[in-house]
Amino acid sequence: MNRNVLMWVAVVVVSAIGGALIQGMMEPKSTPAPNAQKSDAPKSAAAPAAPAAPGASTSATLEAVKARGNLSCGVNTGLAGFGIADSQGKWTGFDVDICRAVAAAVLGDAEKVKFTPLTTQQRFTALQSKEIDILSRNTTWTLARDTSLGLNFAAITFYDGQGFMVKKASNVTNAKSLNGATVCVQPGTTTELNLADYFRSNNMKFQPVVIESLQELTGAFVAGRCDAMTTDVSGLVSIRATQAQPNDYLVLPETISKEPLGPVVRHGDDQWFDIVKWTVFAMIEAEEKGVTSANVDQMKSSDDPAIKRLLGVTAGNGEALGLKEDWAYSIIKHVGNYGESYDRNITKQLGLGRRINALWLEGGLIYGPPVR
Amino acid sequence: MAFWNDRRTRGYLYQIAALGGVVLVGGILVSNTLDNLARQNIATGFGFLDREAGFGISEHLVDYSPADTYLRALCIGLLNTFRISAAGIVLCSLIGIVVGFARLAPNILVARLASVYVEITRNIPVLLQLFFWYAVVIQAFPPPAAAWEPITGVFLSNRGIAIPWPGLGAPVFEGFNFRGGAVLSPELSALLIGLSIYTSGFVAETVRGGILSVPKGQLEAARAVGLTRFQVLRFVTMPLALRAIVPPTTNQYLNLTKNSALAVAIGYPDFVSVANTTINQTGQAIEGVALIMAAYLTISLVISALMNWFNRHVALVGERS
Ligand SMILES: N[C@@H](CCC(=O)N[C@@H](CS)C(=O)NCC(=O)O)C(=O)O
């Protein structure tokens, strides 16, 4: 009897070894050169690319998105103005619009997006493990994320900074008087690190309360478990706006950090990186040139060479990206330009003006390289 | 006879082959994973453990500041896991024993109440129970400035229970929080109450089952030789019942320890919470998850070993005597 069992084990092990050896022999081993463009699709799925015309697709992510017929986009679990689903399950928000814009550029249809809500802790793993094609979820660009996490930040869509929110009744009016306070914070964020830095550098003490779910965390803050809540100012404004009594809360004047937010992709797929990057830049250029979702069709007959290039009337940009020539036209038609999305989501829903997120032409920081 | 026809030799060969197979498969998995990570330029290795953690941890049994290393932060988390598991095991056993006996009480009302308790605690998901207790703790108590002081020097508020403690002095309210004394935080309280109550339902059933498993004849014989009710319980029922109680209770202790990983949902900085944050800040998910697995495996094996020791030295000795 004992022998029988051992026999089976042996059979299983031998076939496992055999299988592994065969797989090992079939698989061409190549040493990964840093920064070389590499297909990152599972080996079996990577069809040998036909001899590539310049700009022809070598992007595994692009191929996968086209084959699937939709874009898989990681978004917030629920932050009004940035990414939130309504009772019908329809997603809206500034970050959500970036997903729609990429889908419009790649598939010609801004609705072909599968949204995956992700907490602060889940977001990077979801991107690394290819569960999502892009992460568009108020994520701060930092050196560590850009390097050791294996990610690429495509662009900065929103310049933010970290702040504190308190209850008005506490009579706290500035961050320096928070010494000894209990502070609610989400784990796995830059917020958590800046918080410790700020109190350390000001020789102040604090007690963190760290809860993963934003909803639970906000609940704890509202119940009085914490004296202050901290995250990006945009996030605080959004959380405040969705409270039953927004006027009971005060966002303190200090911003204690730089939080440049933007969409993120994986290392190793340069073409996909380019597509996401230029989707954002096209939205910025459209605002600079006054091209909106309402006038984009008329603008097709504009004499401005830059507008002609942007809308694909003069061909070239689409081919260079490996997309159709009307990629940017689709974005503007179906989603709008940068300013339209900002106004619709952030100004209207949160009452937060453009300030440093105004175009450079108006003294802000929003500046896109030329779309040519 | 050729050596491969010898049963023992063949047995050894199979075992070596099995071991080799496991090592090989493991090796292939590891090397494949490292390859893939390198391809995506994701950092690997445990070097991050020596780097500065940079985040705060609310509860630490030994000194900790954000300037300490990830290694120290993880140790703080591990100690917090030990603390909640040990306290939870003690508390759930106490409640479980009381309720288990209550279920067998001759008084119908007591027995019914006990069975209602068992059904409720066992059948509501533990995560919901944790949320419930956390909400109770932070909603029902006043803010610290208006804390209740049932006994002089003891303060109850939504920041927890602050009590005087030798060496730490008496708690005084200052600015935002209580300073001095010992504080039992709302997170730890809710986690302790939630886990203990949930697990106590299972323990109670085990205790009841164990007592019922003692053959009637033994008890009658004990009464017949003139032992008092207490003596019967002490020298006959308990030793025999423990044999049936200890092994399944070990499982419950292991469950409680593993369920303590839900701490992150209500903000208690246990090992999983700290490890998750570490994973997120360093991006080293595989190393982090490996540490989590190693930590829980170790804790579980230690608990099993202790319970086995207890079983051999208490339960069975009891039976022989
Ligand atoms: N920008 C910071 C923080 C971003 C962040 O996650 N903020 C919180 C609060 S505004 C959030 O969006 N939470 C929602 C959730 O967990 O789904 C980062 O990238 O680490």
Side-chain angles (χ1 to χ4, degrees):
Chain A
M1 178 208 78
N2 205 355
R3 248 185 3 186
N4 251 336
V5 173
L6 278 175
M7 200 75 145
W8 275 111
V9 171
V11 169
V12 170
V13 166
V14 168
S15 44
I17 297 172
L21 283 180
I22 291 169
Q23 199 218 340
M25 285 186 308
M26 308 274 279
E27 188 175 311
K29 262 257 155 54
S30 55
T31 26
N35 297 328
Q37 180 161 330
K38 276 250 162 77
S39 146
D40 59 354
K43 297 241 162 47
S44 55
S57 174
T58 51
S59 159
T61 316
L62 179 61
E63 288 310 312
V65 170
K66 282 188 183 159
R68 216 186 301 129
N70 68 35
L71 175 79
S72 180
C73 199
V75 291
N76 206 293
T77 58
L79 192 64
F82 287 87
I84 193 163
D86 66 14
S87 52
Q88 266 88 54
K90 184 167 166 52
W91 285 87
T92 53
F94 184 69
D95 289 337
V96 162
D97 276 356
I98 301 291
C99 307
R100 292 229 161 85
V102 174
V106 171
L107 301 166
D109 186 344
E111 297 308 310
K112 294 250 166 73
V113 186
K114 185 177 148 264
F115 292 103
T116 306
L118 297 167
T119 67
T120 46
Q121 302 245 49
Q122 298 160 340
R123 55 186 162 171
F124 301 124
T125 328
L127 184 59
Q128 290 165 339
S129 62
K130 299 178 186 148
E131 211 173 302
I132 54 175
D133 304 311
I134 76 172
L135 175 71
S136 182
R137 182 206 172 287
N138 53 335
T139 298
T140 304
W141 188 347
T142 68
L143 184 144
R145 291 173 178 177
D146 206 343
T147 56
S148 32
L149 267 68
L151 307 176
N152 276 329
F153 286 77
I156 299 173
T157 53
F158 191 94
Y159 291 87
D160 209 340
Q162 183 176 337
F164 294 94
M165 179 159 72
V166 295
K167 290 192 173 171
K168 272 201 187 130
S170 71
N171 290 326
V172 173
T173 51
N174 63 67
K176 288 272 163 59
S177 50
L178 284 174
N179 192 10
T182 303
V183 183
C184 279
V185 61
Q186 264 190 307
T189 53
T190 49
T191 316
E192 197 182 17
L193 306 176
N194 299 329
L195 172 69
D197 281 0
Y198 181 76
F199 278 80
R200 265 199 279 177
S201 58
N202 285 297
N203 264 320
M204 311 195 315
K205 283 203 158 48
F206 74 103
Q207 281 275 100
V209 170
V210 181
I211 300 182
E212 181 176 7
S213 142
L214 181 62
Q215 247 182 326
E216 288 295 324
L217 184 75
T218 310
F221 168 64
V222 169
R225 172 64 185 102
C226 304
D227 301 297
M229 175 158 183
T230 184
T231 183
D232 303 341
V233 169
S234 63
L236 293 176
V237 170
S238 165
I239 292 162
R240 179 174 178 271
T242 43
Q243 294 308 307
Q245 302 289 336
N247 285 327
D248 289 356
Y249 302 92
L250 177 72
V251 177
L252 299 180
E254 291 93 340
T255 34
I256 64 166
S257 70
K258 296 186 284 186
E259 306 290 329
L261 312 179
V264 198
V265 296
R266 284 181 289 279
H267 273 180
D269 191 336
D270 288 352
Q271 189 186 348
W272 185 247
F273 181 31
D274 289 341
I275 290 172
V276 177
K277 197 170 1 187
W278 289 96
T279 297
V280 175
F281 296 153
M283 292 174 76
I284 296 174
E285 180 132 322
E287 186 182 14
E288 290 174 3
K289 291 287 171 190
V291 185
T292 67
S293 54
N295 69 13
V296 65
D297 287 304
Q298 291 102 283
M299 282 292 186
K300 270 188 150 173
S301 42
S302 159
D303 293 330
D304 184 336
I307 296 181
K308 285 177 140 174
R309 274 193 302 270
L310 179 66
L311 299 182
V313 179
T314 310
N317 288 341
E319 194 192 339
L321 285 170
L323 299 175
K324 294 209 184 100
E325 290 299 340
D326 68 352
W327 64 282
Y329 167 85
S330 278
I331 298 174
I332 302 161
K333 176 84 182 164
H334 301 299
V335 182
N337 67 33
Y338 180 90
E340 285 181 275
S341 175
Y342 193 106
D343 290 341
R344 177 168 66 225
N345 295 301
I346 300 177
T347 312
K348 292 253 167 60
Q349 294 198 32
L350 308 178
L352 210 61
R354 292 285 291 266
R355 292 187 272 188
I356 57 169
N357 291 299
L359 285 184
W360 61 285
L361 295 166
E362 277 137 34
L365 292 176
I366 297 299
Y367 182 109
V371 183
R372 70 181 308 157
Chain B
M1 187 170 73
F3 75 92
W4 58 81
N5 276 338
D6 176 56
R7 233 180 99 171
R8 288 182 58 130
T9 320
R10 215 157 58 176
Y12 281 127
L13 283 180
Y14 288 145
Q15 300 216 22
I16 290 169
L19 186 70
V22 169
V23 169
L24 195 74
V25 171
I28 289 173
L29 273 178
V30 170
S31 98
N32 248 7
T33 309
L34 289 179
D35 249 29
N36 281 332
L37 291 176
R39 211 192 320 275
Q40 295 189 40
N41 291 336
I42 296 176
T44 48
F46 286 92
F48 70 91
L49 288 176
D50 300 327
R51 288 206 298 272
E52 181 186 281
F55 54 85
I57 301 180
S58 54
E59 310 198 22
H60 36 89
L61 289 172
V62 294
D63 276 344
Y64 172 82
S65 89
D68 286 322
T69 60
Y70 280 112
L71 184 64
R72 188 162 182 102
L74 288 166
C75 292
I76 300 289
L78 194 61
L79 284 178
N80 283 339
T81 291
F82 283 147
R83 171 157 71 158
I84 182 66
S85 308
I89 284 173
V90 171
L91 193 60
C92 83
S93 310
L94 292 178
I95 306 175
I97 291 169
V98 171
V99 176
F101 273 98
R103 285 211 61 182
L104 297 171
N107 183 322
I108 299 283
L109 185 67
V110 171
R112 274 288 146 78
L113 275 178
S115 66
V116 168
Y117 174 90
V118 167
E119 290 316 320
I120 290 180
T121 54
R122 285 197 314 173
N123 290 311
I124 297 177
V126 60
L127 185 59
L128 287 184
Q129 297 196 33
L130 293 183
F131 282 140
F132 171 78
W133 290 111
Y134 191 49
V136 167
V137 174
I138 62 176
Q139 308 268 3
F141 292 96
W148 294 331
E149 196 178 355
I151 310 166
T152 321
V154 173
F155 296 94
L156 289 173
S157 72
N158 61 14
R159 302 296 159 85
I161 307 169
I163 54 169
W165 198 261
L168 296 173
V172 273
F173 181 69
E174 208 183 278
F176 293 98
N177 281 304
F178 283 95
R179 247 175 248 286
V183 177
L184 183 63
S185 73
E187 289 76 27
L188 179 55
S189 318
L191 190 63
L192 181 58
I193 299 171
L195 287 179
S196 305
I197 288 189
Y198 174 74
T199 314
S200 70
F202 294 91
V203 174
E205 280 304 88
T206 309
V207 169
R208 183 180 72 112
I211 294 170
L212 288 180
S213 75
V214 178
K216 269 228 159 60
Q218 301 262 4
L219 300 179
E220 281 159 7
R223 292 307 297 257
V225 296
L227 297 184
T228 65
R229 280 178 76 101
F230 177 77
Q231 284 171 325
V232 176
L233 187 68
R234 167 72 186 80
F235 297 110
V236 183
T237 313
M238 276 333 279
L240 287 173
L242 272 180
R243 265 199 312 179
I245 292 174
V246 173
T249 305
T250 307
N251 275 338
Q252 295 313 327
Y253 289 174
L254 294 177
N255 282 343
L256 183 140
T257 306
K258 286 179 279 185
N259 283 336
S260 76
L262 295 169
V264 65
I266 57 168
Y268 178 74
D270 77 322
F271 187 71
V272 172
S273 166
V274 176
N276 274 341
T277 300
T278 304
I279 288 174
N280 212 268
Q281 300 294 5
T282 60
Q284 299 194 253
I286 295 179
E287 290 82 355
V289 172
L291 287 176
I292 295 177
M293 294 198 308
Y296 277 86
L297 186 63
T298 312
I299 298 176
S300 295
L301 290 177
V302 168
I303 294 178
S304 293
L306 286 177
M307 291 301 282
N308 282 339
W309 176 88
F310 179 81
N311 206 14
R312 265 199 314 279
H313 289 85
V314 181
L316 290 186
V317 169
E319 186 207 13
R320 272 185 243 115
S321 65

